Amino acid sequence: MLLNKLYRGGKNKKSIINAGQSIHTGYNHTVALTETGKLYGWGGNEKRQSSPTSATTPLLNVTSPFLTEVAKAETGQYHTLILMKDGTVRAIGGNAYKETDPFSSTQPSYDLTKIVTSGVIDISAGRFYSICLYENGDVCGWGFNKIGLAYPYIPSANYGTVNSYITETDKVIIGNIKKIYAGSDHVMVIDDDDNLYGWGYNSHGQINGITSSTYKKTPDGIIKGNIKKVAVGAYHSVILDYEGNVYCIGKNDYGQCDAIEANIGVSQTNLNNIIFTNAIDVAAGHYHTAVLDANGDVHAWGCNTERQCNTASSSTYFLDKENVVFSGATAIFSGSTADSTFALKSNGYIYGWGDNTYGKVTGKTNTSYYIDTTTPIMLLNK
């Protein structure tokens, strides 16, 4: 199939995002991107999701990048989605749902010379699907589409019943978008006017605070305005506005939305309920929420079975939003299928804690969880 042209047209051509000094973690693997565009991967590698050049799993003690000239990378359940600095998209890992290579049935798929699409300025990896943002503001997706994640405009009768895949990369979902966020089973996007939209699985109100419909089948209708960023978990969304206010909607079975013990198990749907203020960054894991405040302190609440919220506590859930788990951070990271949290310092060192099976936090040892927040994982300003 012919690839998309490098420039697809449109009135508002946008620039490629540069996510240097970032980390993204998935179900069992992690990828880290340095300031100069070098990409490292470690952890689970049974589908070559951590490195296309090694069949070892878990892949540990990695010393060399597997790719350079990278602008951004994200992890799905078993795949890694990669945006190059030239606007082309590559992917490695599991391909059971065409999430890695929509034009092939090869499983796994790890040919980094194959270009999935081009003219792209941003990417985001869902659990078994991928979405991209073209430079004209159009959003398209490919991969798993049983609940309309890669392309929501499918017959209503097919939702949740027909196991379908999207194998094109130019089926436009929505336009005039500048930021995209793919979660396990729902997608959130922000348009050029800072308005929030979403689609996908919505049984807990994780998209728009409305639980009456299992699926949100179209991205139409502004959910909330003045939005700076969204972090998407398994079944909850963490929303940050330009005033530093944080809102959280969706599944709340570990208190990941409101950190109130009496509400555990009750989905939170109030889009006007401010749960944190003075925030500059947010992250969402599988069932936990993390916030970075303006002082550089990291706060986290929700599921704590792997110490992802509080390294000093062994409780199943942790609900103290005021507790500081890490200080001196400039950015925070997690992933919608992850039970770990990462923090970046201004000196370029990245730190992590939480679920360390497959060595996906440390990249060195395969242990159940990791709680050392004083020893950096690696240096990213190189």
Side-chain angles (χ1 to χ4, degrees):
M1 180 176 291
L2 186 65
L3 301 173
N4 294 294
K5 293 183 295 184
L6 184 60
Y7 176 50
R8 292 162 47 90
K11 295 183 294 183
N12 300 308
K13 184 177 178 181
K14 299 176 171 67
S15 301
I16 294 174
I17 189 172
N18 187 346
Q21 294 196 53
S22 63
I23 198 163
H24 201 268
T25 185
Y27 170 69
N28 70 356
H29 77 293
T30 296
V31 292
L33 180 63
T34 71
E35 185 176 21
T36 57
K38 297 174 183 177
L39 185 62
Y40 296 76
W42 61 83
N45 195 43
E46 66 273 33
K47 300 182 186 296
R48 303 289 184 94
Q49 64 266 42
S50 294
S51 174
T53 60
S54 174
T56 301
T57 187
L59 184 64
L60 302 174
N61 299 305
V62 174
T63 58
S64 301
F66 70 82
L67 193 61
T68 60
E69 296 299 311
V70 175
K72 184 180 180 181
E74 285 200 2
T75 59
Q77 184 94 344
Y78 295 113
H79 78 293
T80 298
L81 187 65
I82 303 163
L83 174 63
M84 305 298 293
K85 290 183 178 181
D86 64 2
T88 60
V89 174
R90 322 291 171 99
I92 56 172
N95 197 41
Y97 302 97
K98 306 297 184 71
E99 66 267 41
T100 300
D101 182 357
F103 313 127
S104 170
S105 297
T106 301
Q107 161 69 351
S109 177
Y110 48 91
D111 181 1
L112 278 174
T113 66
K114 181 174 285 190
I115 298 173
V116 179
T117 189
S118 58
V120 174
I121 63 165
D122 198 4
I123 55 167
S124 193
R127 182 163 51 173
F128 297 119
Y129 67 100
S130 301
I131 62 171
C132 72
L133 175 63
Y134 287 103
E135 56 193 355
N136 68 340
D138 287 346
V139 177
C140 299
W142 59 92
F144 183 70
N145 204 51
K146 187 176 181 178
I147 56 177
L149 295 168
Y151 187 73
Y153 305 108
I154 58 176
S156 294
N158 290 358
Y159 268 86
T161 59
V162 178
N163 202 13
S164 62
Y165 323 109
I166 297 299
T167 57
E168 299 90 1
T169 61
D170 57 0
K171 297 173 75 69
V172 178
I173 301 169
I174 187 173
N176 298 316
I177 299 301
K178 65 178 181 180
K179 297 177 182 179
I180 57 176
Y181 308 94
S184 291
D185 293 314
H186 70 292
V187 183
M188 305 290 268
V189 299
I190 300 173
D191 73 7
D192 292 335
D193 296 316
D194 302 319
N195 296 314
L196 180 65
Y197 301 81
W199 64 91
Y201 191 60
N202 194 44
S203 63
H204 304 282
Q206 59 264 44
I207 297 174
N208 58 3
I210 300 172
T211 59
S212 58
S213 178
T214 303
Y215 310 104
K216 190 173 187 304
K217 301 177 182 179
T218 59
D220 61 321
I222 295 172
I223 296 168
K224 196 171 182 65
N226 193 38
I227 303 305
K228 181 179 181 181
K229 180 181 179 179
V230 183
V232 186
Y235 303 108
H236 76 295
S237 298
V238 187
I239 303 166
L240 174 65
D241 70 18
Y242 277 98
E243 275 66 58
N245 300 315
V246 178
Y247 311 82
C248 194
I249 54 174
K251 196 171 185 179
N252 196 47
D253 48 347
Y254 291 94
Q256 63 263 44
C257 283
D258 66 357
I260 298 175
E261 187 167 10
N263 289 341
I264 287 180
V266 180
S267 295
Q268 297 303 296
T269 59
N270 187 351
L271 278 161
N272 296 313
N273 181 32
I274 298 172
I275 62 168
F276 203 94
T277 59
N278 201 33
I280 60 172
D281 198 7
V282 291
H286 200 194
Y287 295 119
H288 79 286
T289 296
V291 171
L292 174 62
D293 69 25
N295 297 318
D297 293 334
V298 180
H299 309 257
W301 59 91
C303 182
N304 195 53
T305 55
E306 308 299 329
R307 312 292 181 91
Q308 62 265 50
C309 293
N310 182 4
T311 58
S313 172
S314 60
S315 61
T316 301
Y317 52 83
F318 185 78
L319 304 178
D320 184 0
K321 294 184 295 183
E322 301 305 315
N323 180 72
V324 176
V325 65
F326 188 87
S327 296
T330 57
I332 54 175
F333 310 92
S334 188
S336 65
T337 58
D339 295 313
S340 52
T341 310
F342 291 86
L344 176 70
K345 284 195 170 186
S346 60
N347 59 7
Y349 281 103
I350 192 84
Y351 298 75
W353 56 94
D355 180 17
N356 193 47
T357 52
Y358 299 91
K360 66 179 181 179
V361 172
T362 65
K364 296 179 177 63
T365 57
N366 183 1
T367 57
S368 58
Y369 56 82
Y370 184 75
I371 60 174
D372 183 0
T373 58
T374 63
T375 304
I377 304 301
M378 71 177 296
L379 180 66
L380 296 183
N381 66 348
K382 59 181 180 178

